[in-house]
Amino acid sequence: MKIILLGAPGAGKGTQAQFIMNKFNIPQISTGDMLRAAIKSGSELGQQAKTLMDAGQLVPDDLIIALVKDRVSQADCKDGFLLDGFPRTIPQADALKSAGINIDYVLEFDVPDEVIVERMSGRRVHPASGRSYHIVYNPPKVEGKDDITGEDLVIRADDKPETVLDRLKVYHTTTKPLVDYYQEEAKTGNTQYFRLDGTQKVESVSAELNKILA
Ligand code: AP5
């Protein structure tokens, strides 16, 4: 089972990734989480990525493609994986195709920009796992603490309102063309494409995914 989650920043990809991972027992490959881990470790990749990420810009394709190719070649990906935040550009999608990786499902979460801006202002994350909460719509059991580890939740550096607007611009110009790209792919019959209404409640989106991936 190889799945791509497509959608604007804050559309709910990371939230639903938790649901899909648990259902299929496949690893989530979140390029955003991988880059944040690289920044934390102080690696060369992290140093290159930090300024771009803080400004809401994309990290160069060659760096990301190498990162993902290495990750999907690891043993835990042999029965499938869930790509969250990759591909984000046409060259990244082309790289997957040229590597002979056939995607079973592309799942798009459709959420208008004004809803995204509101969501990001209430997002809190658990940096070690990437688990994401919302102070109103998806609150943790204990305020400010991760449900599983009890560790502190934080506000992401790129969730400042002005950076969110920049990330949305990048999404519309650079990532949104992948909607057409994968809808065309779906016509070949190798990939199935579904668009979900991402403005529904978290549990309703999960229920819809459950039906699609049954
Ligand atoms: P990344 O970490 O991938 O961020 P993103 O795509 O901007 O996505 P987010 O994690 O912000 O949102 P999400 O869709 O996962 O939403 P979530 O579930 O948290 O990338 C960060 C940066 O890294 C990029 O800007 C770029 O610089 C770099 N990068 C990463 N990948 C790259 C690539 N491939 N190429 C180049 N650069 C790359 O939900 C958001 C909030 O809404 C949460 O608070 C959540 O609780 C809440 N919520 C979720 N669902 C619902 C719902 N149904 N109703 C109400 N609230 C909800």
Side-chain angles (χ1 to χ4, degrees):
M1 179 69 90
K2 299 190 184 78
I3 300 174
I4 289 175
L5 302 184
L6 200 59
K13 303 181 297 292
T15 302
Q16 297 302 333
Q18 296 295 324
F19 168 77
I20 298 173
M21 276 163 71
N22 293 336
K23 181 175 165 72
F24 290 104
N25 203 20
I26 51 174
Q28 172 196 17
I29 301 179
S30 160
T31 40
D33 286 349
M34 289 163 88
L35 291 169
R36 281 183 286 276
I39 292 174
K40 201 169 167 207
S41 75
S43 70
E44 199 185 319
L45 169 66
Q47 288 170 28
Q48 290 182 58
K50 187 174 183 336
T51 319
L52 291 162
M53 287 176 77
D54 285 350
Q57 300 302 311
L58 295 183
V59 170
D61 284 334
D62 52 345
L63 294 181
I64 288 287
I65 290 167
L67 194 69
V68 172
K69 276 193 178 162
D70 176 61
R71 181 66 187 88
V72 298
S73 69
Q74 291 171 18
D76 64 332
C77 292
K78 71 176 176 16
D79 295 329
F81 46 79
L82 173 62
L83 290 170
D84 167 7
F86 181 95
R88 242 178 167 96
T89 65
I90 301 277
Q92 292 179 17
D94 284 341
L96 268 185
K97 216 200 265 187
S98 346
I101 297 171
N102 185 58
I103 301 298
D104 301 294
Y105 291 95
V106 178
L107 306 167
E108 181 200 344
F109 299 104
D110 187 24
V111 180
D113 288 5
E114 55 279 15
V115 177
I116 299 279
V117 173
E118 196 222 337
R119 276 187 187 178
M120 299 306 231
S121 65
R123 173 159 65 176
R124 301 291 180 271
V125 295
H126 177 240
S129 67
R131 276 185 289 277
S132 159
Y133 301 86
H134 190 281
I135 51 175
V136 177
Y137 306 123
N138 187 23
K141 290 179 187 133
V142 176
E143 194 182 327
K145 303 285 178 193
D146 177 49
D147 284 352
I148 310 283
T149 62
E151 289 167 351
D152 286 345
L153 300 177
V154 301
I155 299 177
R156 252 170 60 175
D158 57 353
D159 277 352
K160 290 193 291 269
E162 60 276 22
T163 314
V164 170
L165 292 178
D166 288 336
R167 287 162 65 198
L168 280 168
K169 264 188 224 149
V170 170
Y171 173 73
H172 286 291
T173 54
T174 313
T175 307
K176 194 92 192 274
L178 291 176
V179 167
D180 287 343
Y181 181 103
Y182 281 113
Q183 282 181 335
E184 282 304 309
E185 273 300 296
K187 289 182 187 160
T188 65
N190 292 328
T191 300
Q192 296 196 60
Y193 190 97
F194 291 91
R195 174 175 294 149
L196 294 95
D197 174 3
T199 63
Q200 303 174 86
K201 286 189 176 150
V202 172
E203 307 75 49
S204 309
V205 179
S206 301
E208 206 178 325
L209 283 172
N210 206 22
K211 276 194 216 147
I212 291 171
L213 301 171

